[in-house]
Amino acid sequence: MPRVVGKLDTPIQLAIRLNMFEGYEEKLSFFTPGETFESVYGIRHQGKAKNNPHIHFAVESWVSEQTLRARIAKIFDNQKGNKNLSVKHWDGDETYIQYTLKELKDYAHLSEVLVVNSRTGGFLAVGTLEQLHARSRLVANEIKENTPTKICLKIAEQIIESEIRITDFEIFRQICIYLMTKGKFLPNKFQSERWIIQVKVCIAQIRDGRSGGTKSQEDVISQLYHNYFLNGY
């Protein structure tokens, strides 16, 4: 049998976020193992305010990231660019799968949000999904603690969900708004500097959790090193 044009010798692992718009539901059969995919896992999210429906996929793709992005954009064409979808390299780490389970309060309701889990193995086995869900709930419960670290994590999530442009001023503004809303004291200058850095770290960890990599955290480390040691040289 001749090799399919553009098909890779071995599948690559990718993380996909597809925002849901009118007409997309009927086209989800695209995410079925076959010529394009070796395996597919997908789960629905609604967002914090329950008004931002989207699906997170973890796939093994027989085509390149660029080709897959183009195929999805051609079929799911209600919006364009990041408003429509994102496709990123994923190293197969189960942290991303754990992240996708964060909105599932009760594992018994998995079938209500699971879109597809086909031709998968290892960490995507049903038993392991349950273990990852348990870990996800532990993280969610820890966030409820009102410590500065947990507050920074909440603010980081708000910034990412709102797609706010990330600047030191905007992070500081969000910290102040959050604390004032809760009736709490605002941090002093030196505390604020630490809080801003911690929010950046949380944003990086969330992004890397979604992509399965470490690039965002490495960028934060590089930026801090430059600010601490290289400014003025």
Side-chain angles (χ1 to χ4, degrees), residues 115-229:
V115 178
V116 60
N117 185 19
S118 184
R119 287 179 63 191
T120 57
F123 56 83
L124 291 184
V126 173
T128 308
L129 276 178
E130 188 169 7
Q131 293 175 4
L132 292 175
H133 175 258
R135 288 189 213 166
S136 179
R137 297 315 305 159
L138 284 175
V139 171
N141 290 334
E142 288 177 1
I143 291 173
K144 294 178 181 178
E145 299 174 18
N146 216 14
T147 64
T149 300
K150 306 310 178 191
I151 292 173
C152 287
L153 180 55
K154 291 178 182 179
I155 292 170
E157 291 180 327
Q158 290 176 1
I159 290 174
I160 289 178
E161 289 293 332
S162 302
E163 298 183 350
I164 298 171
R165 183 170 178 267
I166 300 172
T167 63
D168 286 358
F169 170 76
E170 189 57 46
I171 292 174
F172 177 73
R173 176 174 173 273
Q174 292 296 324
I175 291 171
C176 291
I177 290 173
Y178 182 91
L179 294 176
M180 287 190 288
T181 301
K182 298 292 183 181
K184 296 186 176 296
F185 290 105
L186 298 182
N188 62 36
K189 177 183 178 181
F190 300 104
Q191 290 171 327
S192 296
E193 291 176 346
R194 294 186 65 186
W195 281 46
I196 289 171
I197 291 172
Q198 185 60 32
V199 171
K200 289 181 178 179
V201 169
C202 291
I203 290 172
Q205 289 175 328
I206 292 170
R207 285 177 168 173
D208 286 342
R210 294 179 177 182
S211 66
T214 60
K215 181 181 183 302
S216 295
Q217 293 171 85
E218 291 290 345
D219 288 345
V220 170
I221 293 170
S222 296
Q223 181 185 28
L224 287 176
Y225 180 82
H226 184 275
N227 292 341
Y228 288 170
F229 304 108

Side-chain angles (χ1 to χ4, degrees), residues 25 43 54 68 110 118 147 152:
E25 190 70 31
I43 192 166
H54 56 278
L68 182 59
L110 176 66
S118 184
T147 64
C152 287

Side-chain angles (χ1 to χ4, degrees), residues 72-91:
I72 297 174
K74 183 176 181 180
I75 296 172
F76 299 88
D77 58 357
N78 198 307
Q79 292 286 331
K80 296 185 181 299
N82 290 334
K83 289 184 177 180
N84 193 42
L85 77 142
S86 67
V87 181
K88 299 179 180 179
H89 170 74
W90 169 48
D91 63 5

